[in-house]
Amino acid sequence: MLTIGAAVVATVLVVVGVVVATRPDPEPVAIPDPGDVRATDSFVDSMGVAVQLYQQSSRYELLARTLGDLGVRHIRTGGQGELFFRHVNELHDEHGIKTLLVMDPREGYAGDEVVTEGLLPVLGAAEGVEGPNEWDINEDLEYEGQPWPEGVVTFANEMHDSIKGYEDDDQEVQSAVRSLTVVSPSVADPDSVDEILDVRCDVAAMHSYPGGRLPDEDLTTKWIPAALRLCDGKGVVSTESGYCNTLSPEGCTNQGGVSERASAKYAVRHYFEYFRAGVERDYLYNLSTDDWDLFLDSDGDRKPAFYAVRDTIDLLADPGATYHPTRFDLTVSATDEAGGLVDDVHHVVLQKRDGSYWVAVWANTLSYPAGEECCDIETSRQVTIDLPRSMTSTVYEPTFSGTSPVAEYAASSELRLTVPDHVLLVRLDEAPTSSSESSPPSQD
């Protein structure tokens, strides 16, 4: 987890007239063309949750029940031992959940032994491994006598090579191990990636905490560009990011917490912002019943974010064979309360196998002043969606109104909506055609 107060911050040092400058800021990454529609189920499959499965094994039944009801298919966790392995396997067998396993010397692992010691016991439930966690802000850690960054690079490369070069008499087991995704070590400070560029990996990890601000804070300008410096730029996974509800400047490891209402808004927006930016999977932090738990309070009662995420999944899940949506060009324009044009409304276009299009749209505005104990901020925009043809529309508000429609509109090529600072889902269906509808009404 990111500790802002302890993170190393890049500086410009001036000594006796000599300026030593840091590396230039990376180029921002571009948001993909929204006309390139993706399947609704690919969005659901991009959603993950970081879980304290090992640290809170005594509350496993609560965590497992919550995950099963939530509907996520992917978790990220670390641990070791017979009980931990049993829980990972049970989540897969009972709920179909796949696990990204964090491998770290602090859990007793050696890089060249991760397959035998940590993977084979859960091979059917594992989908990948992630390198050591945020050693860049833990100066006392060592691996084989090596501190950061050498120790992390050594461990990560041993781990990668032991997985990709694994040999077994059972060819199915060998293939299953070698096909696992190897995720890079994570860093708390994105500039730290320059110190571990030699790690071998399939995809880069990032811990892109927004610091209590907008879900996409620094995402395309800092976090993703930095992560793409690893693993030959092959892709990015956010293995930790999120919010907590401790309302003080010191809360959430000095990031400042937000209200439960705001974190419900942010949770769904976070998933969509990261999907929109091309992040392969987004593991929200976390499910744990501690101060950072996004979904449960300390008594195990479910918070608003649980229902917001669950209902979003229920509306968009569409499992089945690989599906290739068709392009769908629409335009979205927005104005504020004074009627002025604004560019802070974001959207994503998806499609289901039944042919329906689903437009997720939200105002990308602040929903709570992080770290303060005061007030939720409610913002809305007047939005016009121009469609390529006349279609019927059904509107849902999964963050707070469940899975029942909140509005339905007759066929039109233009849709006008009041869009809040939480996600609306708009289902678009082809307008019905019939001889009675295509012919003008009779005149008596």
Side-chain angles (χ1 to χ4, degrees), residues 328 357 387-393 409-413 428-431:
F328 189 73
Y357 291 95
L387 306 175
R389 54 189 176 273
S390 182
M391 306 184 80
T392 62
S393 308
Y409 298 92
S412 175
S413 60
L428 301 171
D429 290 286
E430 301 297 336

Side-chain angles (χ1 to χ4, degrees), residues 8-14 19-26 189 191 194 229:
V8 178
V9 181
T11 59
V12 176
L13 178 64
V14 181
V19 178
V20 181
T22 59
R23 171 176 55 83
D25 291 336
D189 173 16
D191 287 335
D194 283 342
R229 293 172 62 80

Side-chain angles (χ1 to χ4, degrees), residues 175-215:
S175 177
V177 171
R178 291 186 177 186
S179 66
L180 290 170
T181 299
V182 177
V183 182
S184 76
S186 62
V187 295
D189 173 16
D191 287 335
S192 296
V193 300
D194 283 342
E195 301 180 66
I196 56 170
L197 294 179
D198 292 334
V199 296
R200 294 187 282 276
C201 45
D202 297 322
V203 66
M206 66 179 184
H207 286 185
S208 44
Y209 286 91
R213 298 181 290 274
L214 297 177

Side-chain angles (χ1 to χ4, degrees), residues 151-419:
V152 166
V153 173
T154 297
F155 179 94
N157 287 341
E158 288 178 357
M159 179 181 75
H160 174 274
D161 294 348
S162 68
I163 292 171
K164 299 305 180 181
Y166 181 69
E167 296 182 355
D168 196 288
D169 292 338
D170 187 324
Q171 291 301 302
E172 289 187 3
V173 171
Q174 176 175 299
S175 177
V177 171
R178 291 186 177 186
S179 66
L180 290 170
T181 299
V182 177
V183 182
S184 76
S186 62
V187 295
D189 173 16
D191 287 335
S192 296
V193 300
D194 283 342
E195 301 180 66
I196 56 170
L197 294 179
D198 292 334
V199 296
R200 294 187 282 276
C201 45
D202 297 322
V203 66
M206 66 179 184
H207 286 185
S208 44
Y209 286 91
R213 298 181 290 274
L214 297 177
D216 66 339
E217 186 77 19
D218 293 329
L219 179 61
T220 60
T221 58
K222 181 173 73 174
W223 287 106
I224 295 177
L228 287 173
R229 293 172 62 80
L230 296 171
C231 314
D232 297 324
K234 289 180 285 191
V236 179
V237 173
S238 175
T239 59
E240 281 188 26
S241 184
Y243 300 84
C244 88
N245 305 131
T246 303
L247 301 181
S248 72
E250 297 78 24
C252 311
T253 324
N254 296 320
Q255 297 187 50
V258 302
S259 71
E260 291 186 7
R261 178 175 175 83
S263 62
K265 297 177 183 180
Y266 284 157
V268 181
R269 284 169 54 184
H270 199 287
Y271 282 129
F272 273 108
E273 291 287 4
Y274 279 51
F275 183 80
R276 174 175 176 263
V279 175
E280 295 183 14
R281 183 156 295 132
D282 179 18
Y283 295 88
L284 281 183
Y285 195 87
N286 77 9
L287 178 61
S288 63
T289 70
D290 64 10
D291 290 343
W292 264 94
D293 197 317
L294 186 66
F295 301 102
L296 299 173
D297 64 22
S298 58
D299 295 325
D301 294 328
R302 292 170 176 179
K303 295 182 179 181
F306 169 87
Y307 299 102
V309 172
R310 181 198 65 182
D311 292 341
T312 300
I313 292 173
D314 284 349
L315 285 168
L316 296 178
D318 188 30
T322 300
Y323 173 65
H324 300 288
T326 54
R327 186 175 178 88
F328 189 73
D329 290 303
L330 55 76
T331 60
V332 176
S333 57
T335 59
D336 58 19
E337 294 179 354
L341 290 174
V342 293
D343 60 1
D344 56 7
V345 171
H346 293 174
H347 73 280
V348 169
V349 185
L350 307 167
Q351 189 179 30
K352 281 192 174 181
R353 289 176 174 80
D354 63 7
S356 61
Y357 291 95
W358 291 71
V359 181
V361 57
W362 63 97
N364 187 40
T365 57
L366 198 68
S367 299
Y368 195 89
E372 298 185 25
E373 189 173 355
C374 66
C375 44
D376 287 287
I377 303 170
E378 309 292 339
T379 303
S380 63
R381 301 295 190 223
Q382 300 306 307
V383 172
T384 300
I385 303 177
D386 290 307
L387 306 175
R389 54 189 176 273
S390 182
M391 306 184 80
T392 62
S393 308
T394 307
V395 181
Y396 301 84
E397 293 187 352
T399 305
F400 297 118
S401 300
T403 57
S404 298
V406 298
E408 296 178 293
Y409 298 92
S412 175
S413 60
E414 181 185 86
L415 184 62
R416 296 188 178 185
L417 299 170
T418 299
V419 173

